[in-house]
Amino acid sequence: MDNSIIFAVGGVILGVIIGFIIAKTLEKNNASKLVKEAKRSAASILKEAKSEGETLKKDKILQAKEKFIELKSEHEKVILSRDKKMAEAEKRTRDKESQISNELAKNKKLNENLESKIKNYDHRLDVLEKKQDQVDKLHKSQVQQLEVISSLSAEEAKEQLVESLKGEAKNDAMAYIQSSLEEAKLTAEQDAKKIIINTIQRIGTEEAVDNCVSVFNIESDDVKGRIIGREGRNIRAIEAATGVEIIVDDTPEAIILSCFDSVRREVARLSLHKLVTDGRIHPARIEEIVKKTQKQIEQEIIEVGKRTVIDLGIHNLNPELIKMVGRMKYRSSYGQNLLQHSREVAKLCGVMAAELGLNPKLAKRAGLLHDIGKVPDAEADMETPHAILGMQWAEKHGEKPDVCNAIGAHHDEIEMKSLLAPIIQVCDAISGARPGARRQVLDSYIQRLKDLEDIAFGFNGVKKAYAIQAGRELRVIVESEKVNDDVAADLSFNISQKIQTDMTYPGQVKVTVIRETRAVNIAK
């Protein structure tokens, strides 16, 4: 059993060896065949490469020859063009040379002619000099003969002639100057009238009328009762907060607001409108609405000032001056609205300055600001004339010296230093002197009401003072911490005595001192 396995294994190994030998023999034969085939293919590839190389070589040589021929032809063209240009340049040079030679020949002829003319002129000068000598000799002999005849020397005769001519010239000059002055005066007066008339005609404005009452329209008479309130507390609160007298009468669907101060009247009107629209009308709400309306009016004043400045084409005006211009809307001068008056004066000044060849923008600026002193911020400012006060404000806020001088001099408080000042004065007079522009009675009435309020403010402890009922009543609101009930009674008596002493007025003036104490706490 074991021997058979050994023989089998040995047979297998022998078979494997014999197969390996046979495989190697076959592999050698195949390799030799492959090498021969590779040599043959390599030889054929080399042969083909040589033939292709020869072909490429011939092609490159042909291309090089063609390129050389092409470059040679281009070079020949360039050479021909250069030769052509050189020939043209030579031709032009020859033409210039011939032209120059012709010019030289002409100049030579001209020089010869000039020399001949110079010789001729020299000869003529010699002849003239000889003749001049002869004329001088004859003139001297004639002068000597005249001196012998007139028994005067030439200098004496000249002096006499000069004196006579001086006298005649002086008389003629004086007559001419006199006639010129008269004509200039007449012409200047006519021109001035023409400028003023043209200026007035070009500025058309309406008559300015300022009233002391405003009408507040309501939808129904039921609203009147709500405005009056229980036992009149609402209407008293409105009057105390605004300083405006509210008249509720039988006039259908209307309530009258009476006050000389336009700002107070406008605040009261707008406050009533808001209260009626909102529907809540009671003292606390009234005070709140009045404060908000006062702030609104202040903002509106600024907007009015800005619009006015923009409409007139005035730039770089100080914000404080713009605010003063806006406040003019609620001020009047002799019944004439101050803002309308100032706008009118500004336009008149611009036209007149343009007619006279001055700066119209500067004239408009001075015309608009000439009455800003009529809107004082404090009672102390009212003691200074409005022209001087306006000038001081303009200087404070950086206006030019000519503008400041025109503002201060338009009522002759100071000396006029520029042509702008008389223009402002004339235009102010033109605006104020128009028929229907101003009313003296209204202005004196308003001044009397202001004087009434000023007397009340002169006492300690006075918080607010309102002149109502056309100046027949003065309501004084005092600070409860500083004034007790006894002092309030004395204060009413003292104010009435002061009014009797210092003022002149028709009828009687009722002085009412109001002292109010409030206790306010907040529940949180």
Side-chain angles (χ1 to χ4, degrees):
M1 184 74 178
D2 293 332
N3 290 328
S4 61
I5 292 169
I6 293 169
F7 283 127
V9 171
V12 171
I13 293 169
L14 183 61
V16 169
I17 293 169
I18 292 169
F20 179 74
I21 292 170
I22 292 169
K24 285 288 183 182
T25 304
L26 291 173
E27 185 180 355
K28 286 181 180 180
N29 292 329
N30 291 330
S32 61
K33 288 180 182 179
L34 290 170
V35 169
K36 288 179 181 179
E37 290 178 359
K39 286 181 178 179
R40 284 197 298 273
S41 63
S44 65
I45 289 168
L46 286 171
K47 186 175 180 181
E48 290 177 358
K50 285 181 180 180
S51 63
E52 289 179 359
E54 290 294 330
T55 304
L56 288 171
K57 184 177 178 182
K58 290 178 182 179
D59 291 340
K60 292 295 182 183
I61 290 170
L62 288 173
Q63 291 178 0
K65 287 181 179 179
E66 289 175 355
K67 187 69 175 176
F68 175 74
I69 292 168
E70 183 179 353
L71 292 172
K72 184 178 179 182
S73 64
E74 290 179 357
H75 183 65
E76 288 176 352
K77 288 180 181 178
V78 171
I79 291 172
L80 287 173
S81 65
R82 287 181 179 177
D83 292 341
K84 186 177 179 181
K85 289 180 180 179
M86 290 177 66
E88 291 176 353
E90 288 176 356
K91 184 180 179 182
R92 287 197 299 271
T93 305
R94 287 195 297 272
D95 294 340
K96 290 286 184 182
E97 288 177 353
S98 62
Q99 187 176 359
I100 290 168
S101 61
N102 293 331
E103 292 291 335
L104 288 173
K106 290 179 181 178
N107 289 334
K108 187 175 180 181
K109 289 181 180 179
L110 290 172
N111 287 331
E112 291 175 353
N113 293 331
L114 184 61
E115 288 176 357
S116 63
K117 287 181 180 180
I118 290 171
K119 290 179 180 178
N120 189 13
Y121 289 149
D122 291 338
H123 176 68
R124 289 184 178 182
L125 284 174
D126 293 336
V127 173
L128 287 173
E129 287 177 356
K130 291 179 181 178
K131 289 184 178 181
Q132 185 66 35
D133 292 337
Q134 293 176 1
V135 169
D136 291 339
K137 290 178 181 178
L138 290 172
H139 177 69
K140 287 180 180 179
S141 63
Q142 289 177 356
V143 169
Q144 289 174 358
Q145 290 176 4
L146 289 172
E147 288 177 353
V148 171
I149 294 169
S150 62
S151 67
L152 290 174
S153 65
E155 293 297 329
E156 291 175 349
K158 187 186 293 184
E159 288 177 0
Q160 289 183 3
L161 180 62
V162 168
E163 288 296 329
S164 64
L165 290 175
K166 278 183 180 180
E168 292 179 2
K170 188 175 181 180
N171 292 332
D172 292 341
M174 289 297 292
Y176 178 74
I177 290 171
Q178 188 66 27
S179 63
S180 298
L181 284 174
E182 291 177 357
E183 184 179 357
K185 286 180 182 179
L186 182 61
T187 306
E189 187 175 354
Q190 291 176 349
D191 290 343
K193 288 180 180 178
K194 183 179 178 181
I195 290 171
I196 292 172
I197 291 170
N198 289 338
T199 303
I200 295 171
Q201 288 176 345
R202 290 171 62 180
I203 306 298
T205 58
E206 299 177 355
E207 292 184 359
V209 178
D210 190 31
N211 297 319
C212 288
V213 295
S214 295
V215 178
F216 177 70
N217 297 313
I218 55 178
E219 295 179 357
S220 64
D221 289 340
D222 296 337
V223 180
K224 290 183 180 180
R226 294 169 56 196
I227 292 174
I228 294 171
R230 184 182 300 173
E231 298 177 356
R233 64 174 188 170
N234 289 346
I235 198 168
R236 285 198 302 271
I238 295 172
E239 289 179 346
T242 60
V244 174
E245 182 183 1
I246 299 177
I247 303 171
V248 181
D249 53 14
D250 296 334
T251 306
E253 298 182 356
I255 293 175
I256 308 299
L257 308 178
S258 175
C259 181
F260 71 92
D261 192 328
S262 303
V263 178
R264 289 190 211 163
R265 203 166 61 245
E266 185 68 11
V267 169
R269 189 186 67 81
L270 292 177
S271 300
L272 274 176
H273 178 72
K274 291 179 181 178
L275 289 167
V276 171
T277 304
D278 183 55
R280 294 176 292 170
I281 305 176
H282 52 83
R285 180 67 175 165
I286 288 168
E287 291 183 0
E288 179 185 353
I289 291 296
V290 168
K291 288 181 181 178
K292 289 182 179 179
T293 306
Q294 287 172 346
K295 291 181 181 178
Q296 179 184 343
I297 290 294
E298 288 294 326
Q299 188 62 35
E300 183 182 349
I301 284 171
I302 296 172
E303 292 299 325
V304 168
K306 289 181 179 178
R307 287 198 301 269
T308 302
V309 169
I310 291 170
D311 290 344
L312 293 174
I314 296 172
H315 305 287
N316 300 323
L317 196 64
N318 189 279
E320 287 297 323
L321 294 179
I322 291 176
K323 188 175 180 181
M324 291 178 187
V325 170
R327 289 176 63 188
M328 289 181 184
K329 179 181 178 182
Y330 302 103
R331 292 290 185 274
S332 62
S333 176
Y334 298 99
Q336 185 180 24
N337 183 270
L338 198 57
L339 181 59
Q340 293 180 6
H341 167 65
S342 297
R343 287 172 63 97
E344 183 179 351
V345 171
K347 292 178 181 179
L348 289 168
C349 290
V351 175
M352 194 172 289
E355 292 286 341
L356 295 174
L358 302 176
N359 188 346
K361 292 185 177 180
L362 205 63
K364 280 185 179 181
R365 198 181 193 96
L368 179 65
L369 300 177
H370 81 285
D371 269 349
I372 57 172
K374 290 185 177 180
V375 284
D377 288 325
E379 300 299 328
D381 293 336
M382 298 182 69
E383 298 177 359
T384 307
H386 75 273
I388 303 299
L389 185 60
M391 180 185 70
Q392 293 172 356
W393 283 349
E395 290 174 348
K396 179 181 177 182
H397 297 299
E399 289 299 316
K400 293 183 178 179
D402 288 348
V403 174
C404 298
N405 178 255
I407 294 171
H410 78 277
H411 284 311
D412 293 324
E413 273 92 0
I414 62 172
E415 182 184 357
M416 297 181 180
K417 296 182 179 178
S418 67
L419 288 175
L420 200 60
I423 290 176
I424 303 301
Q425 188 179 50
V426 170
C427 293
D428 180 44
I430 291 171
S431 175
R434 290 187 295 103
R438 293 187 172 184
R439 293 187 297 175
Q440 181 72 31
V441 176
L442 178 63
D443 193 70
S444 61
Y445 159 72
I446 291 174
Q447 187 62 43
R448 182 166 63 85
L449 298 185
K450 288 182 178 179
D451 293 340
L452 271 176
E453 293 183 354
D454 293 342
I455 287 175
F457 281 117
F459 291 86
N460 294 327
V462 176
K463 184 179 179 181
K464 296 178 182 178
Y466 300 128
I468 60 176
Q469 294 186 4
R472 291 190 296 272
E473 182 179 353
L474 179 64
R475 289 189 183 177
V476 182
I477 301 173
V478 297
E479 299 178 10
S480 58
E481 297 84 1
K482 296 181 180 180
V483 180
N484 56 29
D485 292 338
D486 296 333
V487 176
D490 293 338
L491 183 62
S492 175
F493 176 76
N494 292 332
I495 292 174
S496 65
Q497 294 300 313
K498 182 75 170 175
I499 292 172
Q500 289 180 8
T501 306
D502 295 351
M503 291 190 63
T504 302
Y505 52 90
Q508 297 177 346
V509 178
K510 179 182 176 183
V511 180
T512 304
V513 175
I514 301 172
R515 178 178 178 270
E516 183 181 25
T517 303
R518 294 187 184 185
V520 180
N521 288 295
I522 300 173
K524 297 182 180 179

